[in-house]
């Protein structure tokens, strides 16, 4: 995939991602999970480095399951606290795929989508 075509693909994905805004999640008492720049950035970067194109494409494909999983998760299956940052894991099986979604909260800020993997 050429650089220009890839950048266009990422720009389109970012626009669609940010349109979501937030989704209420039963696992958190129907509090909203927000879709902000943190989660999108994590799908295309790991720390300061860009993820390779294959990994980013895989995450973009898996992302289509994220809203459904958040809407239908009744409980978080994992929890990790690191200093003032908390992470929760929502796991589900959709279309025969095991999907894991990571939700993050920094200090007392809003919970937001952070990552998706299979």
């Amino acid at each position: 995939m050429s650089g220009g075509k890839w950048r266009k693909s990422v720009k389109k994905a970012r626009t669609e991602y940010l349109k979501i805004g937030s989704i209420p999640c039963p696992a958190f008492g129907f509090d909203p999970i927000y879709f902000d720049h943190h989660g999108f950035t994590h799908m295309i970067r790991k720390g300061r480095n860009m993820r390779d194109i294959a990994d980013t494409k895989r995450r973009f494909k898996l992302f289509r399951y994220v809203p459904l999983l958040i809407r239908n998760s009744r409980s978080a299956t994992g929890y990790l606290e690191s200093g003032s940052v908390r992470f929760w894991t929502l796991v589900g099986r959709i279309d025969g795929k095991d999907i894991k979604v990571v939700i993050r909260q920094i200090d007392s800020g809003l919970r937001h989508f952070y990552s998706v993997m299979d």
Side-chain angles (χ1 to χ4, degrees):
M1 180 177 277
S2 72
K5 189 174 180 181
W6 177 243
R7 280 190 294 278
K8 190 175 180 178
S9 216
V10 170
K11 187 176 179 178
K12 181 181 177 189
R14 181 187 314 267
T15 299
E16 293 302 311
Y17 172 91
L18 292 173
K19 279 183 187 177
I20 296 171
S22 67
I23 297 173
C25 183
F28 298 104
F30 292 95
D31 286 347
I33 302 301
Y34 291 88
F35 290 80
D36 59 13
H37 70 280
H38 295 290
F40 190 83
T41 300
H42 190 69
M43 283 199 296
I44 62 172
R45 293 181 163 277
K46 184 166 186 170
R48 295 177 189 236
N49 301 315
M50 294 297 289
R51 293 184 187 275
D52 63 52
I53 290 175
D55 185 26
T56 303
K57 280 183 177 180
R58 181 180 60 79
R59 289 171 187 273
F60 283 175
K61 285 180 184 176
L62 290 171
F63 185 77
R64 66 183 169 161
Y65 301 109
V66 170
L68 183 62
L69 195 93
I70 289 174
R71 275 190 198 96
N72 293 317
S73 290
R74 301 287 176 226
S75 64
T77 58
Y79 176 78
L80 173 68
E81 193 165 336
S82 177
S84 62
V85 182
R86 290 179 290 287
F87 299 90
W88 293 267
T89 307
L90 307 175
V91 177
R93 188 165 182 82
I94 303 172
D95 293 342
K97 293 182 182 281
D98 290 322
I99 310 292
K100 185 188 303 187
V101 172
V102 178
I103 306 299
R104 182 174 81 162
Q105 183 179 31
I106 302 171
D107 294 319
S108 59
L110 302 171
R111 287 185 188 104
H112 58 268
F113 163 80
Y114 189 63
S115 189
V116 61
M117 58 202 85
D118 53 357

